């Protein structure tokens, strides 16, 4: 079936740089997207979400961009900090009656001091 | 992870044993979910529930059973444990009944040997 995927399994950045984590999705019926951060040994934590009627949404130091034309989602983290080191997952809701999310396989972000 | 509790935190089972993973929420929300996360992978939906007395299969339901007799509790049952069920199990609820954002418990790490 269709699923969410990520381009890069591991991303290494210098502290203070901006990070961009990418995600490709294939289900054109998906109407909601969400990014989670998962630290080692913990459950996923919400970062930011976006509905399909938007193309950009900003939070504190994070921005999510949605390009429906090419079915691409990205998470931008400004001024990356060591505490941002974690695995990041994108997920989509596939626009059916269910509220369940379909998750990608994750990208590990490593912040070098 | 206040609001969603999972027990136990860790468990080792022998092949063929059975156990119940507990999930309890104190937010009185209708939607609850069980996911499993294999090492280095994203989360896969096992079962979900849209309210007391209503459950449905997710992506990977084989080998598991659930029940939802109350709004608060959504236990996951493994009847005949197999090594393929070695994973971390997360319970989740929707942040609000009109939200797609999911809020995760701390997880149960299960090893089947």
């Amino acid at each position: 079936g269709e699923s969410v995927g990520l381009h890069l399994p591991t991303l290494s950045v210098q502290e203070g740089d901006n990070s961009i984590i990418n995600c490709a999705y294939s289900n054109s019926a998906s109407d909601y997207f969400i990014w989670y951060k998962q630290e080692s040994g913990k459950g996923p934590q919400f970062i930011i979400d976006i509905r399909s009627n938007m193309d950009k949404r900003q939070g504190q130091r994070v921005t999510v961009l949605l390009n429906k034309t090419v079915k691409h989602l990205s998470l931008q983290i400004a001024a990356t900090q060591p505490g941002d080191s974690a695995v990041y997952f994108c997920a989509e809701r596939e626009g059916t009656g269910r509220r369940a999310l379909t998750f990608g396989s994750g990208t590990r972000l490593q912040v070098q001091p | 992870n206040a609001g969603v509790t999972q027990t136990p935190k860790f468990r080792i089972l022998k092949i063929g044993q059975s156990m119940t993973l507990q999930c309890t929420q104190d937010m009185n929300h209708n939607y609850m979910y069980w996911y499993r996360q294999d090492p280095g992978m994203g989360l896969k939906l096992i079962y979900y529930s849209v309210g007391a007395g209503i459950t449905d299969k997710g992506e990977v339901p084989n080998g598991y059973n659930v029940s939802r007799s109350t709004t608060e509790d959504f236990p996951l049952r493994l009847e005949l444990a197999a090594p393929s069920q070695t994973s971390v199990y997360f319970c989740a609820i929707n942040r609000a009944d009109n939200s797609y954002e999911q809020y995760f418990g701390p997880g149960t790490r299960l090893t089947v040997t």
Side-chain angles (χ1 to χ4, degrees):
Chain A
E2 295 181 303
S3 63
V4 175
L6 295 174
H7 294 309
L8 299 172
T10 303
L11 178 65
S12 185
V13 300
Q14 292 294 123
E15 181 178 357
D17 287 352
N18 296 334
S19 302
I20 299 175
I21 301 172
N22 296 303
C23 178
Y25 67 95
S26 57
N27 191 337
S28 57
S30 294
D31 61 358
Y32 172 83
F33 304 87
I34 188 167
W35 282 98
Y36 282 95
K37 173 185 180 183
Q38 187 177 29
E39 297 173 297
S40 181
K42 296 185 179 179
Q45 294 176 282
F46 169 82
I47 301 174
I48 193 166
D49 59 2
I50 188 168
R51 291 184 180 265
S52 59
N53 60 354
M54 303 171 67
D55 53 21
K56 181 179 180 178
R57 191 163 188 226
Q58 289 184 290
Q60 188 177 10
R61 281 201 307 119
V62 294
T63 301
V64 56
L65 298 177
L66 176 62
N67 186 330
K68 294 181 287 294
T69 301
V70 295
K71 297 177 187 169
H72 184 267
L73 190 70
S74 68
L75 176 69
Q76 300 179 0
I77 305 174
T80 312
Q81 304 168 358
D84 295 327
S85 293
V87 177
Y88 290 80
F89 294 96
C90 65
E92 64 183 321
R93 177 188 174 265
E94 297 189 22
T96 64
R98 297 191 333 183
R99 289 174 178 266
L101 299 174
T102 300
F103 282 79
S105 56
T107 292
R108 180 173 300 281
L109 177 65
Q110 295 177 334
V111 182
Q112 308 296 330
Chain B
N1 293 322
V4 179
T5 58
Q6 292 184 240
T7 57
K9 286 185 167 49
F10 304 94
R11 183 73 185 269
I12 298 174
L13 282 182
K14 294 190 184 302
I15 295 171
Q17 287 185 320
S18 61
M19 77 164 292
T20 299
L21 284 68
Q22 301 291 346
C23 176
T24 300
Q25 56 123 342
D26 61 5
M27 302 172 79
N28 201 35
H29 290 170
N30 284 317
Y31 295 88
M32 297 187 75
Y33 309 85
W34 274 107
Y35 292 90
R36 60 176 286 173
Q37 183 178 31
D38 297 334
M41 302 294 287
L43 285 76
K44 293 189 182 300
L45 182 67
I46 306 171
Y47 270 96
Y48 67 100
S49 171
V50 301
I54 306 171
T55 63
D56 207 348
K57 295 178 181 179
E59 187 182 353
V60 290
N62 291 343
Y64 306 95
N65 278 300
V66 293
S67 59
R68 184 92 183 271
S69 57
T70 66
T71 299
E72 293 78 20
D73 299 305
F74 189 37
L76 178 71
R77 179 82 176 164
L78 283 71
E79 290 294 349
L80 291 171
S84 62
Q85 293 177 305
T86 294
S87 192
V88 180
Y89 292 83
F90 289 101
C91 179
I93 63 173
N94 281 109
R95 175 73 67 175
D97 279 343
N98 62 353
S99 168
Y100 297 133
E101 178 194 340
Q102 292 182 16
Y103 179 80
F104 287 82
T108 293
R109 182 175 296 275
L110 175 67
T111 302
V112 183
T113 62

